[in-house]
Amino acid sequence: MSSNQGSSPIPQSSGGTSDGLFRKPRDPSMAPRHYRTPRSLPDVCPKEPTGEGRGLCDGPSVVADQHRWTVYNSKVNLPAALNDPRLAKRESDFFTKTWGLDFTETDVMPSFYLPNISREHFSSYLQETAQREKIHERCKNICLNKDDLSVPTITNNHGTIFMKPEFVLNDPATFNAVLPWSHFSVAGGMNSRDVASSRLLQEKLSHYLDVVEVSIARQISLRSEAFFHAMSSQHELQDRLRETADAVAKLRASTAAIDRVMCRGPLRALRDTLTRNNCIKLHNKLKLMAAVHQTQPTVQLLLSTSEFVGALELIATTKEVLQQELQGIHSFRHLASQLCEMERLIDKMMVADFSTYTQSDLNRAFEEDRQVLEKDRLQSLVFGLLRQRKLDFLDIYSEEMIRAAKNIVRQCVVKSVLQISEIDADTVKLHEQMRLMTFHQWFDLLLDIFEHFILFLKRIKATLSVIRNVVLEVLDSSQRSRLDEEDESGGPALHSGEAELAYLTHEGLFISDALNEAEQRSNAAAHAQLRAQTHMETCGSDSASATTESSSSREHNSNTTSSLPIGGAAVISEDVMPSDLELSRVANNVQELLYTASDVSHDRCVKVLMTRAKDGSLERLSSSEFVCLSQAVESFARDTEELCGRRSMSLRGALQSQANRFVQRFHEERKTKLSLLLDNERWKQAEVPAEFQDLVDSIADGRITLPERKPTGRSEDRKPSEFLCVDGQKYAVVGTVLLLIRMFLEYCQCVNDIPSITTDILTRLADQLKHFNSCSCQLVLGAGALQVVGLKTITTRNLALASRCLQLVLHYIPVIRAHFETRLQPRQYSILRHFDHITKDYNDHIAEISAKLVAIMDSMFEKALSKYEVKAPMPSACLRNVCKQMAKMHEAIYELLPEEQTQMLFLRINASFKLHLKRQLARLGVVNDGGPQYGLVMVDVAFYSENVQALRSLEHLDLNMPETWEQKR
């Protein structure tokens, strides 16, 4: 590289001389003043364009700018600039001031890509230059011998003066030292001596000049051969340069001809093509501006027909065009804010329209068959609200739904009151009107409300299904669009066409994009309408498809958007619609709104129920009426649960509360009735009507239900029986027990009809059974019947009849337990322990009655046998009396107790007789020695045994009379 003054016009060549000598190029700084450095030739091979038009515009044209100096003629030798010896000192902070102090001190690691250079790499070069070096040394030695002349020099004596840094001839001392003629410096005029000295000095200087000229001529003569050789080489080089210049001139002339004949025409054609394309772009831009100018009237027209989605689509498209394609146009500077204001206005209109639609949909007459009112309008509204992220529109629907539910109850009450002449609708309030109704009137009203709410929920479910489908379609479209974008980003790039890419430079313009722009436009035109509908691609500045979209296509898009089906949710881009998470949340809120509708319906029905129950009228219902109410409520709850998929508990809870009160009253009525029956019970065997026998038979068949009452005429054909037959056994019962059986069947029937009160009914029934057991115990064993009923005494027949009644109830306790167990949850089985306690209490009571019967006979034996004497006549009067009492006892209990129980009772009585007889014989001193007294006693014992075994069912009773006698020791 050369310095800033330019490169040398004559390049040096090491092999250009004939004698092989290497000549050092002449230093430009030593050139005479008249020498002028010519400028460098222009570069005829500019770099290839890199694809950027701006950089290429700065480069010179070889054809047009061959004689103009450009920046490409400037060359800089960076090492020469940094190592310039003319600088006073090197700027040490040239690099460190920017790159830090460590820049100059850092050790540079040897490059791994450069080979390790050794002397062997220069061996070939040294062999080639060895001969030249020898010639150079020989010439150098010759020059030294010729220069060995005694030429006087000025610097022999004053060499040190010239070498000093402060050498300045302006200084008088330095001048006098160089020119040691002191008289020149003396003040005053010149005398003859001075003139002589001056002449002498001139002669010396002339002599020195002659010496220098002789020395120069001698040096030229010594180097004449090299000088003439260099001159000849210079002439030869100039000849070659002249030939080269002629060749370059011819080449440039040919290039200019080629440019004139072959390049200017095609370049003009390309330039015309660019101009045409620019005109087309401008025309399309003007058409687009015209279409945008018509946006506001079109939006007004769409809003007049409630086409909110189409208006929003048109506004969004216009805003996108304004931001990307028409950005910076002064005439549209206020249009964006106007569109935003219109968009806010549309938001308010959509919310108001949705509220109006909801009111008209929820409050319309139930006689209409349509479940969804104006489905297309609903879809359009929901779609527009979702697009504008108005996700709280479900709150509006919820509020209107609550108002509609209140109106349903009010309308049903008003319609029912109009049919009842006894109630004045003008003077009585709504809640009082329901209380003035009879149960059947109020129950019909409740059924009517239930029916209306079922239709109400069906309509809500259908409407919410449409809303949810729209939300799910939008969500699915968003997900599919995202997948399509991912596929497009990972797919192959579009081909630019069949035209070959060319890189040409003409006046600094890079025009390769012009070759394929037309084909890009044609490829994109096929999808212009699709992009306008889907908005999945933004309009790039380098895309001609966005600028070629006509106003008619945009108007068509805005007019058809609102009429798209639900699947048209794909017309909204992902950046406008809510996120997937928000859409999922809205879908869940739609389902929750259906649950809310179910809860609201139940809450309004609870109001109706509690209004009726406020004065306690529901507690006074009969069992059948309350069962009807419970069945109606349960049926409504099941229907709503099946319809909405939500188990609402408010109505069931209110019914449960009323059921608890009903059970309390139900139980208190029957408990009071049982107490009255027991207080009036005389404990005599009662006849069993046929209906009770049928009732018991139905229980034996596994049906724990109350049979339907038969007509009176048919029941008179069957006469009542003396005993109640249960599983092949006869039970002699009192009338209270028959009614008790019917009572616990009523409890079981209540559980069948109202499963929610199972646990409560179970505890009440257990209390009823305990109450019967305790009262019967007080009346019979405790002899309470003597004061309550006025019985003279509690006979053995009364005791046996009470025991048999207890046994009958005890027989049905396992049946009742099994019935309740099937209706309880496994975690509630612990409540069945009440039946275990009741069973134990009944068994204890029965055992106490048996012990009482034995105790009665035991006291009789003790009193009679205490007077027993062993003397004739036999059998004795005492044993006759005992056998008579035994016969009365048998007669009293034989028909009441089963044969096995009778035998077990008489075995216990016989054991008591033997004990007392044994004690009396011991007191009398009678032993089994075979004596006369022993014989008399054996006659009485035989008489006793014959009389006892003569009784029915006691023929084979083992009395074991030998135990009467004490064993001999």
Side-chain angles (χ1 to χ4, degrees):
M1 298 178 67
S2 64
S3 62
N4 294 333
Q5 286 77 5
S7 60
S8 176
I10 303 175
Q12 302 295 331
S13 176
S14 59
T17 59
S18 58
D19 57 354
L21 293 177
F22 177 79
R23 301 301 180 184
K24 184 177 180 180
R26 187 172 183 177
D27 189 358
S29 61
M30 300 300 294
R33 295 181 180 177
H34 65 274
Y35 177 76
R36 179 176 178 272
T37 304
R39 61 183 181 89
S40 301
L41 292 175
D43 191 358
V44 296
C45 296
K47 295 182 179 179
E48 291 184 356
T50 58
E52 298 181 358
R54 180 177 299 177
L56 294 173
C57 292
D58 296 336
S61 174
V62 177
V63 178
D65 300 331
Q66 55 181 339
H67 300 296
R68 181 170 60 88
W69 187 93
T70 62
V71 73
Y72 289 95
N73 298 109
S74 177
K75 295 180 173 55
V76 178
N77 188 348
L78 183 60
L82 296 178
N83 299 305
D84 192 352
R86 294 172 295 177
L87 295 177
K89 61 177 181 177
R90 180 182 176 184
E91 296 181 3
S92 60
D93 60 346
F94 185 81
F95 295 107
T96 57
K97 66 181 181 182
T98 303
W99 298 331
L101 296 175
D102 297 335
F103 177 79
T104 56
E105 298 177 0
T106 303
D107 296 335
V108 180
M109 296 295 295
S111 176
F112 298 101
Y113 300 99
L114 296 178
N116 187 11
I117 305 300
S118 63
R119 187 175 179 82
E120 297 178 357
H121 291 83
F122 300 95
S123 59
S124 59
Y125 174 75
L126 292 176
Q127 291 176 2
E128 292 177 0
T129 60
Q131 184 64 29
R132 298 178 182 178
E133 184 181 6
K134 291 179 181 180
I135 297 172
H136 176 69
E137 291 297 333
R138 180 168 53 83
C139 292
K140 185 170 62 175
N141 294 333
I142 294 173
C143 291
L144 287 177
N145 294 331
K146 292 182 179 181
D147 292 340
D148 191 10
L149 300 174
S150 57
V151 180
T153 61
I154 301 175
T155 61
N156 290 335
N157 298 326
H158 307 283
T160 57
I161 295 176
F162 292 106
M163 295 294 110
K164 289 182 179 181
E166 62 272 10
F167 176 78
V168 179
L169 289 177
N170 295 335
D171 188 7
T174 305
F175 185 79
N176 292 332
V178 175
L179 299 176
W181 296 289
S182 58
H183 56 272
F184 287 154
S185 60
V186 179
M190 294 181 59
N191 51 22
S192 60
R193 186 181 178 181
D194 293 335
V195 174
S197 299
S198 175
R199 290 176 180 177
L200 180 59
L201 178 59
Q202 290 179 0
E203 291 177 358
K204 286 184 179 182
L205 293 177
S206 300
H207 174 68
Y208 291 157
L209 180 59
D210 295 337
V211 172
V212 170
E213 290 178 355
V214 170
S215 179
I216 290 174
R218 188 173 297 171
Q219 291 295 334
I220 291 174
S221 65
L222 292 176
R223 293 176 173 82
S224 59
E225 183 179 357
F227 177 76
F228 287 111
H229 178 71
M231 290 301 295
S232 61
S233 299
Q234 184 73 12
H235 290 303
E236 183 179 358
L237 181 59
Q238 290 179 354
D239 294 338
R240 293 184 180 180
L241 287 176
R242 190 177 297 105
E243 294 175 359
T244 302
D246 296 339
V248 169
K250 292 180 180 179
L251 177 60
R252 288 185 174 179
S254 301
T255 304
I258 292 174
D259 174 61
R260 184 178 60 260
V261 175
M262 302 181 63
C263 296
R264 290 184 182 179
L267 288 176
R268 186 179 298 105
L270 291 176
R271 186 166 54 250
D272 293 342
T273 302
L274 287 176
T275 303
R276 180 178 178 274
N277 292 337
N278 291 334
C279 293
I280 293 174
K281 291 180 181 179
L282 178 60
H283 179 255
N284 292 333
K285 190 73 70 175
L286 292 175
K287 289 196 298 182
L288 184 59
M289 291 175 63
V292 170
H293 183 68
Q294 295 297 322
T295 297
Q296 289 178 313
T298 306
V299 169
Q300 296 293 339
L301 179 62
L302 291 174
L303 293 180
S304 63
T305 58
S306 299
E307 293 290 343
F308 300 110
V309 178
L312 291 172
E313 278 296 303
L314 182 58
I315 290 175
T317 305
T318 305
K319 289 170 65 177
E320 184 178 358
V321 170
L322 287 175
Q323 291 177 359
Q324 296 182 3
E325 299 183 30
L326 302 180
Q327 187 176 8
I329 295 180
H330 187 71
S331 60
F332 289 151
R333 63 188 183 279
H334 300 303
L335 183 58
S337 60
Q338 294 173 359
L339 293 177
C340 292
E341 188 65 28
M342 294 180 66
E343 195 171 11
R344 287 192 290 269
L345 177 62
I346 292 174
D347 292 346
K348 297 179 181 179
M349 294 178 63
M350 284 194 301
V351 172
D353 198 8
F354 183 78
S355 178
T356 304
Y357 171 83
T358 303
Q359 292 176 3
S360 59
D361 178 51
L362 295 177
N363 296 319
R364 58 195 170 104
F366 288 96
E367 289 77 11
E368 295 183 11
D369 297 334
R370 293 181 301 170
Q371 289 188 347
V372 181
L373 179 66
E374 299 180 11
K375 183 177 179 180
D376 295 337
R377 177 187 175 190
L378 175 62
Q379 291 176 347
S380 178
L381 283 173
V382 174
F383 191 72
L385 291 170
L386 289 176
R387 189 193 183 285
Q388 295 303 106
R389 295 180 178 269
K390 297 294 181 181
L391 305 182
D392 56 346
F393 66 94
L394 293 179
D395 297 337
I396 300 174
Y397 194 90
S398 178
E399 294 173 0
E400 295 297 334
M401 181 178 64
I402 295 174
R403 295 193 188 96
K406 294 180 181 179
N407 292 332
I408 287 175
V409 176
R410 183 179 300 274
Q411 292 172 4
C412 291
V413 173
V414 171
K415 185 176 68 174
S416 299
V417 170
L418 291 177
Q419 299 175 358
I420 302 174
S421 59
E422 293 83 1
I423 301 176
D424 188 2
D426 298 331
T427 59
V428 182
K429 295 182 179 180
L430 187 66
H431 60 277
E432 294 178 354
Q433 293 174 2
M434 287 188 283
R435 293 175 191 161
L436 293 176
M437 296 178 182
T438 63
F439 171 76
H440 295 289
Q441 292 172 345
W442 177 83
F443 187 68
D444 293 339
L445 169 63
L446 184 64
L447 293 179
D448 188 37
I449 291 174
F450 285 166
E451 182 180 358
H452 280 76
F453 270 121
I454 291 297
L455 295 176
F456 179 68
L457 291 177
K458 287 181 179 180
R459 287 183 176 180
I460 291 177
K461 183 178 181 181
T463 302
L464 293 180
S465 297
V466 174
I467 296 175
R468 192 167 187 270
N469 289 335
V470 173
V471 175
L472 293 180
E473 285 289 341
V474 173
L475 178 60
D476 182 64
S477 175
S478 174
Q479 295 175 350
R480 283 189 283 104
S481 299
R482 186 167 55 255
L483 293 176
D484 293 341
E485 288 180 358
E486 293 176 358
D487 295 340
E488 290 178 2
S489 62
L494 294 175
H495 294 288
S496 61
E498 298 178 356
E500 182 181 2
L501 293 176
Y503 294 92
L504 301 175
T505 53
H506 176 66
E507 295 181 351
L509 181 61
F510 181 63
I511 59 172
S512 60
D513 292 337
L515 299 177
N516 55 10
E517 183 178 4
E519 186 166 355
Q520 289 179 354
R521 184 173 64 254
S522 62
N523 291 336
H527 305 283
Q529 183 64 29
L530 180 60
R531 285 202 306 271
Q533 293 178 354
T534 61
H535 289 274
M536 298 307 299
E537 296 178 2
T538 58
C539 300
S541 60
D542 58 344
S543 175
S545 61
T547 60
T548 57
E549 183 178 6
S550 62
S551 60
S552 60
S553 65
R554 293 189 179 273
E555 292 177 358
H556 176 73
N557 180 25
S558 63
N559 294 330
T560 57
T561 304
S562 59
S563 61
L564 288 175
I566 298 179
V571 301
I572 300 300
S573 60
E574 185 177 1
D575 57 344
V576 176
M577 293 299 293
S579 63
D580 292 353
L581 179 61
E582 291 174 334
L583 292 174
S584 301
R585 191 176 299 146
V586 172
N588 294 333
N589 291 340
V590 172
Q591 186 64 36
E592 288 295 332
L593 190 58
L594 183 60
Y595 298 157
T596 303
S598 176
D599 294 339
V600 168
S601 301
H602 280 251
D603 292 341
R604 302 318 303 177
C605 294
V606 168
K607 292 286 185 181
V608 176
L609 190 67
M610 299 309 295
T611 301
R612 179 70 180 183
K614 192 171 184 179
D615 57 353
S617 58
L618 294 182
E619 300 176 15
R620 296 189 295 270
L621 295 178
S622 64
S623 300
S624 59
E625 291 174 343
F626 193 86
V627 167
C628 291
L629 175 62
S630 176
Q631 289 176 347
V633 170
E634 188 65 27
S635 176
F636 174 72
R638 284 195 305 268
D639 292 341
T640 56
E641 181 179 353
E642 181 180 358
L643 190 63
C644 302
R646 172 71 170 266
R647 184 178 178 84
S648 300
M649 299 304 299
S650 59
L651 185 58
R652 282 193 174 100
L655 180 64
Q656 182 66 36
S657 175
Q658 295 301 318
N660 293 335
R661 297 180 182 180
F662 169 76
V663 168
Q664 180 68 23
R665 184 196 57 80
F666 177 86
H667 174 64
E668 289 177 355
E669 286 182 355
R670 279 148 185 78
K671 188 175 182 179
T672 302
K673 182 178 180 180
L674 180 61
S675 298
L676 293 175
L677 290 174
L678 289 173
D679 291 343
N680 293 285
E681 181 61 58
R682 303 189 65 84
W683 297 100
K684 291 183 179 180
Q685 183 178 1
E687 293 182 345
V688 179
E691 59 175 340
F692 283 97
Q693 185 61 52
D694 296 338
L695 189 66
V696 170
D697 294 339
S698 66
I699 297 174
D701 295 337
R703 292 180 283 110
I704 312 296
T705 56
L706 289 172
E708 297 180 359
R709 293 184 177 273
K710 297 180 180 180
T712 307
R714 295 183 59 185
S715 61
E716 292 177 353
D717 297 340
R718 301 174 58 186
K719 295 181 179 180
S721 59
E722 296 182 1
F723 298 95
L724 185 66
C725 295
V726 180
D727 293 339
Q729 291 189 10
K730 294 182 179 181
Y731 286 88
V733 294
V734 295
T736 303
V737 172
L738 294 177
L739 295 176
L740 178 62
I741 293 174
R742 185 174 184 84
M743 283 181 189
F744 74 69
L745 285 179
E746 289 176 353
Y747 280 87
C748 295
Q749 183 66 34
C750 245
V751 172
N752 292 339
D753 298 331
I754 315 174
S756 61
I757 61 175
T758 300
T759 56
D760 200 9
I761 283 288
L762 190 149
T763 55
R764 308 292 182 179
L765 178 58
D767 181 68
Q768 188 80 325
L769 294 174
K770 291 179 182 178
H771 179 67
F772 173 76
N773 185 40
S774 61
C775 288
S776 61
C777 182
Q778 293 173 4
L779 293 173
V780 180
L781 283 178
L786 299 180
Q787 292 81 18
V788 175
V789 185
L791 297 179
K792 296 180 180 180
T793 182
I794 301 299
T795 63
T796 55
R797 189 173 182 83
N798 298 137
L799 291 172
L801 189 59
S803 175
R804 196 56 175 162
C805 291
L806 292 174
Q807 292 175 23
L808 177 61
V809 176
L810 187 63
H811 171 78
Y812 282 110
I813 288 178
V815 179
I816 298 172
R817 177 192 177 108
H819 178 75
F820 278 89
E821 186 174 1
T822 58
R823 285 154 179 78
L824 289 175
Q825 299 294 331
R827 64 176 182 275
Q828 298 175 330
Y829 284 167
S830 60
I831 200 173
L832 296 174
R833 66 180 183 276
H834 292 295
F835 292 110
D836 298 333
H837 298 159
I838 293 172
T839 302
K840 182 178 180 302
D841 293 342
Y842 272 72
N843 286 324
D844 294 342
H845 192 186
I846 294 171
E848 289 176 2
I849 293 176
S850 299
K852 182 65 175 178
L853 293 173
V854 174
I856 292 173
M857 297 303 295
D858 183 79
S859 61
M860 186 272 294
F861 290 150
E862 182 179 6
K863 181 178 180 181
L865 293 178
S866 62
K867 300 176 182 179
Y868 177 68
E869 295 179 354
V870 182
K871 62 180 180 179
M874 292 297 169
S876 63
C878 180
L879 265 296
R880 290 178 183 274
N881 185 28
V882 169
C883 290
K884 183 179 179 181
Q885 294 297 330
M886 292 283 283
K888 289 183 179 180
M889 170 66 76
H890 182 271
E891 183 181 358
I893 67 174
Y894 174 73
E895 292 182 352
L896 301 179
L897 298 179
E899 183 177 345
E900 296 81 5
Q901 295 183 19
T902 304
Q903 293 176 357
M904 292 299 298
L905 181 62
F906 271 90
L907 283 176
R908 294 176 63 185
I909 293 173
N910 180 60
S912 177
F913 170 76
K914 290 189 293 183
L915 177 61
H916 287 286
L917 180 59
K918 184 177 181 180
R919 290 177 180 176
Q920 184 62 23
L921 293 177
R923 284 197 298 269
L924 296 176
V926 180
V927 295
N928 54 348
D929 54 358
Q933 289 185 337
Y934 172 76
L936 293 176
V937 172
M938 290 304 297
V939 173
D940 283 340
V941 170
F943 176 75
Y944 167 80
S945 298
E946 290 176 359
N947 278 277
V948 172
Q949 292 180 348
L951 300 175
R952 286 179 295 182
S953 72
L954 301 181
E955 294 85 0
H956 305 288
L957 190 66
D958 186 7
L959 299 178
N960 198 8
M961 295 308 296
E963 292 182 354
T964 306
W965 304 96
E966 291 186 357
Q967 300 295 329
K968 295 182 179 181
R969 297 178 180 177

